Amino acid sequence: MRRTTEQSNIRPLNAAGKHHIAIEAQQAKYARYIHLRRRFLLGVFMIIVAVVAMVNFHKQYVKYTTTSAGLTETSKTLSTAKASHSDLKQEVKDLGDDSYLEKLVREKYMYTKNGETVFNIPN
């Protein structure tokens, strides 16, 4: 559609033609306004979606890092518990042996055999 300007040699034939051209110009202006408004709303919507996505990503990242740190800590605790368990298992086996049991009671609880003399020597 062509727009007429004051410098153009083309003039409407009557008032109805001028009115028709004015209506078409007004409709074109309104269509541009609607188009710009839709583009603006689409841009705002895209920005909102991007912000929501970034917030969700950040929440998931924080959740992942805390879970990962907890997993590392739990793995360390598990390995120390396994080591302690194996030590305790060995001690239970050793407590079944009478000679080990005698040695343990003598060292830990300071027991002596009958007729035995104990000397305290400073370190």
Side-chain angles (χ1 to χ4, degrees), residues 59-75:
K59 284 181 183 177
Q60 291 299 323
Y61 179 74
V62 168
K63 190 184 226 184
Y64 170 75
T65 54
T66 55
T67 305
S68 179
L71 179 64
T72 305
E73 185 177 324
T74 305
S75 296

Side-chain angles (χ1 to χ4, degrees), residues 18 24 27 29 33-34 38 42-44 46 52 58 67 80 83 90 92-93 104 120:
K18 186 175 185 181
E24 287 180 354
Q27 286 175 347
K29 184 178 177 183
Y33 168 74
I34 293 295
R38 286 179 184 163
L42 180 64
V44 168
M46 289 175 65
V52 168
H58 184 266
T67 305
T80 57
Q90 183 61 40
V92 167
K93 281 183 185 177
L104 182 68
N120 282 337

Side-chain angles (χ1 to χ4, degrees), residues 91-109 111:
E91 189 172 337
V92 167
K93 281 183 185 177
D94 290 343
L95 286 175
D97 185 18
D98 288 338
S99 62
Y100 176 77
L101 194 55
E102 279 182 14
K103 178 182 170 190
L104 182 68
V105 169
R106 288 173 66 132
E107 287 177 2
K108 192 169 185 179
Y109 299 109
Y111 275 79

Side-chain angles (χ1 to χ4, degrees), residues 32-44:
R32 280 192 303 277
Y33 168 74
I34 293 295
H35 183 69
L36 286 175
R37 187 174 72 181
R38 286 179 184 163
R39 286 172 70 187
F40 175 75
L41 290 176
L42 180 64
V44 168

